[in-house]
Amino acid sequence: MQSLNLKNNLFMAPMAGVTDRAFRALVHKHGAGLTFSEMVSAKSIVYRNKNTVRLLENDLDVRPWAVQFFGHEPEILYEAIQMLEDCPYDIVNINMGCPMPKIVKNGEGAALMTNPPLAGRMIQAAVKASSRPVTVKIRIGFTRSTLNAIEVAKIAEASGAAHIIVHGRTRDQYYAGEADWAEIAAVKKAVNIPVIGNGDIFTPEIAIKRLEESGCDGIMIARGAMGNPWIFSRTVAYLETGVRLPEPSNSEIIETAIAHLHDVAAEKAKQAEEDGRKNYTVVDMRKHLSWYTKGMPGSADLRRKINAAQTADEMESLLRSLIQ
């Protein structure tokens, strides 16, 4: 882990439609040791798709961060990484865990768990192409009857991966049920490279428990950070000092949500100007604002109103109504 130059062993999971530039900046501020881009199509990079390139925009002080690639063709992955050699990121990550049908049907994401030799060739191509550490994110298997995380992890190690992240669910579970941390622990015992555990981390206490029980070198937090960047600062404090910091107040949550909202609005306005458009939308923030306000008095009615709001100012006014 030291060779990756990380400030701590708490990772923010790559999540499509969630972990954009603004979200990465926010969780970095709250102490995440490593942040990830949304999934980036290797083929789209090669074909210079403008929307894909925008996924690689990042604040200069949000370091280290990783770009997560998906694909199924080693030669395309090699070319994409070579094309991004001058891009200021720190770690290559290969997605071998996405369960979505449109990804899996192309032989990408979790489908690579069903083809370990190809998975190995993907990693080898990335290692050959990149001057940065290459890492891999997998699931424990494609189905419960075909658990093969240990096999794929050993292939990843032999192919030159610097570390491996294991999500404790099978592909056919998607995000349902419970993560199997016993299988994650078994992967940790089977390889010599660092292993990062992922699945069902929603509190600092759970994070510490999973670290201790699994023997993993780090923890990756996904849904537990949605509307809750404080999970990183609170977990860091608990790990380093044993102090359990209080949960944020509703007022602090709302102010953070508003700052997040306007950061995204500014970025959308900039992109619209670049594209020669007069109008832009912040509807992508609706889900974030729902996560921030979940459980607050009046939040159910607020979510309904936010889902009808079109502008950042409208959304801010609705958010402030919760704490007035």
Side-chain angles (χ1 to χ4, degrees):
M1 297 291 285
Q2 292 300 316
S3 63
L4 300 179
N5 195 29
L6 308 180
K7 63 182 178 180
N8 62 51
N9 61 350
L10 301 179
F11 294 8
M12 182 212 74
M15 293 180 281
V18 177
T19 55
D20 58 10
R21 180 209 56 79
F23 192 81
R24 291 195 297 272
L26 183 61
V27 297
H28 175 81
K29 174 184 175 182
H30 282 273
L34 181 64
T35 64
F36 285 73
S37 72
E38 301 175 61
M39 290 194 311
V40 174
S41 164
K43 185 167 288 186
S44 291
I45 290 294
V46 171
Y47 287 103
R48 294 178 171 84
N49 179 279
K50 181 172 66 175
N51 291 330
T52 298
V53 171
R54 279 179 170 162
L55 296 177
L56 301 172
E57 294 176 356
N58 200 57
D59 292 355
L60 292 177
D61 61 342
V62 178
R63 306 288 292 271
W65 74 293
V67 171
Q68 187 185 70
F69 295 87
F70 73 94
H72 67 281
E73 299 161 296
E75 65 279 7
I76 295 292
L77 179 61
Y78 177 93
E79 186 175 354
I81 292 172
Q82 286 271 288
M83 289 174 65
L84 296 182
E85 191 62 19
D86 293 333
C87 180
Y89 70 101
D90 303 282
I91 293 171
V92 169
N93 183 258
I94 306 173
N95 183 303
M96 298 188 182
C98 179
M100 302 311 293
K102 67 180 181 180
I103 300 294
V104 170
K105 74 177 183 180
N106 289 330
E108 300 167 342
L112 288 167
M113 297 292 295
T114 68
N115 192 342
L118 177 57
R121 293 195 297 276
M122 292 287 288
I123 299 165
Q124 291 164 15
V127 170
K128 185 177 179 181
S130 180
S131 61
R132 302 164 173 86
V134 173
T135 66
V136 187
K137 187 171 189 287
I138 67 172
R139 289 190 170 229
I140 56 175
F142 200 78
T143 66
R144 195 72 205 178
S145 62
T146 58
L147 299 183
N148 65 340
I150 291 176
E151 177 190 4
V152 175
K154 287 181 175 180
I155 288 172
E157 180 176 29
S159 299
H163 74 237
I164 188 164
I165 303 158
V166 185
H167 181 172
R169 288 180 172 84
T170 59
R171 183 268 170 169
D172 58 359
Q173 279 184 276
Y174 285 74
Y175 302 99
E178 295 183 0
D180 188 338
W181 278 81
E183 286 295 324
I184 297 173
V187 173
K188 169 58 188 171
K189 291 179 181 178
V191 296
N192 295 312
I193 57 175
V195 173
I196 313 302
N198 173 219
D200 299 342
I201 305 298
F202 294 101
T203 67
E205 291 78 11
I206 293 174
I208 306 307
K209 179 181 179 183
R210 294 308 189 192
L211 267 175
E212 293 175 348
E213 290 179 349
S214 68
C216 281
D217 302 277
I219 289 289
M220 175 171 274
I221 301 173
R223 289 175 294 169
M226 291 176 171
N228 183 25
W230 298 273
I231 192 170
F232 289 101
S233 52
R234 296 179 68 231
T235 303
V236 168
Y238 195 18
L239 273 170
E240 294 181 350
T241 68
V243 173
R244 301 187 185 191
L245 298 178
E247 294 186 9
S249 66
N250 286 354
S251 179
E252 183 180 357
I253 293 171
I254 293 300
E255 292 300 334
T256 298
I258 290 170
H260 185 181
L261 169 64
H262 285 293
D263 187 13
V264 169
E267 182 170 29
K268 296 292 186 182
K270 175 175 175 285
Q271 291 176 354
E273 183 178 359
E274 291 172 349
D275 295 343
R277 293 181 285 112
K278 292 183 178 180
N279 300 319
Y280 64 92
T281 177
V282 290
V283 295
D284 288 348
M285 278 300 296
R286 290 172 177 171
K287 58 181 179 289
H288 287 280
L289 301 184
S290 293
W291 295 329
Y292 279 118
T293 57
K294 184 178 180 181
M296 291 186 185
S299 62
D301 185 53
L302 174 94
R303 284 194 292 275
R304 179 182 59 79
K305 292 177 179 177
I306 280 179
N307 284 335
Q310 297 296 319
T311 69
D313 288 343
E314 286 180 88
M315 292 180 181
E316 176 180 352
S317 178
L318 288 168
L319 288 168
R320 291 200 182 281
S321 71
L322 284 184
I323 54 175
Q324 290 172 348

